[in-house]
Amino acid sequence: MSSDSLKQESAESAQDEAEHPARDTVTWTEAIVPIAGIAFSIYYLATIWDMPFEARMSGMLVSGSIFILTALLAVRWCKDAIQHGVDSGIWVLLGETNTAIARRLSVLALTVAYVILLPPVGFFIACFTYLLASMAVLGVRNLRHLILVPLLATGLAHLLFIIVLGISLPEGIVGGFLNSIFGDVGL
């Protein structure tokens, strides 16, 4: 090999390293999402097991999808753990900025508020508000994204669960008012 080709190969290697830095270790904190996803899919499957056939089949589809995707994450984490080793990750969490910790706590508080307010407020308003507030807390500043993503996600969930699958979700005060005006038309 000539010195020019060695220099070029070294430059390409440095560029590749800059674009995809090598990992030293994986952390236990990175395993939280796969473990929680697998546990949630098993829990979800257990809760829908006694439901009517149609609801059970759609629940099995959702649960199976979650299980497969999070199992793939778990396999990737295990592969990286075997190749690079495992660190506790606690120092990464403790070394994070106050902003990151505040965002995590804010999303946790929003999630608790969502669960508490879902029955009285209703699914559509609670879900839309939760998604919008969470996106704002996590740093989304584009107003179009802040409105459209929660609106489309909530509308799609409404369409899928209430209209297509016929699953009853909390309607809340506003939903009750709209149903009294328009009748039971799936709003």
Side-chain angles (χ1 to χ4, degrees):
M1 281 188 147
S2 70
S3 65
D4 289 336
S5 63
L6 285 175
K7 288 178 186 176
Q8 183 180 3
E9 187 177 312
S10 175
E12 288 173 0
S13 176
Q15 181 182 2
D16 188 46
E17 182 69 26
E19 290 175 5
H20 307 288
R23 284 181 82 152
D24 292 334
T25 61
V26 294
T27 63
W28 285 110
T29 56
E30 294 172 15
I32 292 171
V33 171
I35 292 168
I38 290 170
F40 175 74
S41 67
I42 292 169
Y43 164 77
Y44 186 69
L45 185 61
T47 61
I48 56 108
W49 201 253
D50 294 331
M51 292 188 159
F53 178 76
E54 294 84 7
R56 191 171 54 237
M57 288 300 110
S58 63
M60 287 176 69
L61 178 67
V62 170
S63 178
S65 299
I66 293 170
F67 183 84
I68 290 169
L69 293 173
T70 53
L72 290 172
L73 279 174
V75 167
R76 187 181 80 185
W77 183 87
C78 289
K79 181 182 116 286
D80 288 346
I82 290 168
Q83 288 178 345
H84 305 290
V86 180
D87 186 19
S88 69
I90 194 69
W91 300 115
V92 173
L93 286 176
L94 294 176
E96 288 189 1
T97 64
N98 289 339
T99 305
I101 293 170
R103 284 181 176 177
R104 286 184 182 156
L105 292 175
S106 297
V107 170
L108 178 63
L110 286 170
T111 303
V112 170
Y114 171 74
V115 170
I116 292 170
L117 294 175
L118 183 62
V121 174
F123 171 75
F124 197 88
I125 292 173
C127 188
F128 174 80
T129 306
Y130 170 74
L131 291 173
L132 185 136
S134 295
M135 289 174 62
V137 164
L138 293 173
V140 176
R141 296 293 175 246
N142 185 323
L143 189 59
R144 186 176 345 150
H145 293 160
L146 276 174
I147 301 298
L148 286 179
V149 170
L151 187 62
L152 290 173
T154 305
L156 182 63
H158 177 84
L159 175 74
L160 179 66
F161 288 111
I162 296 175
I163 296 174
V164 173
L165 297 175
I167 296 173
S168 176
L169 293 173
E171 62 182 30
I173 297 167
V174 175
F177 176 71
L178 290 175
N179 279 339
S180 69
I181 293 174
F182 298 112
D184 194 16
V185 293
L187 295 175

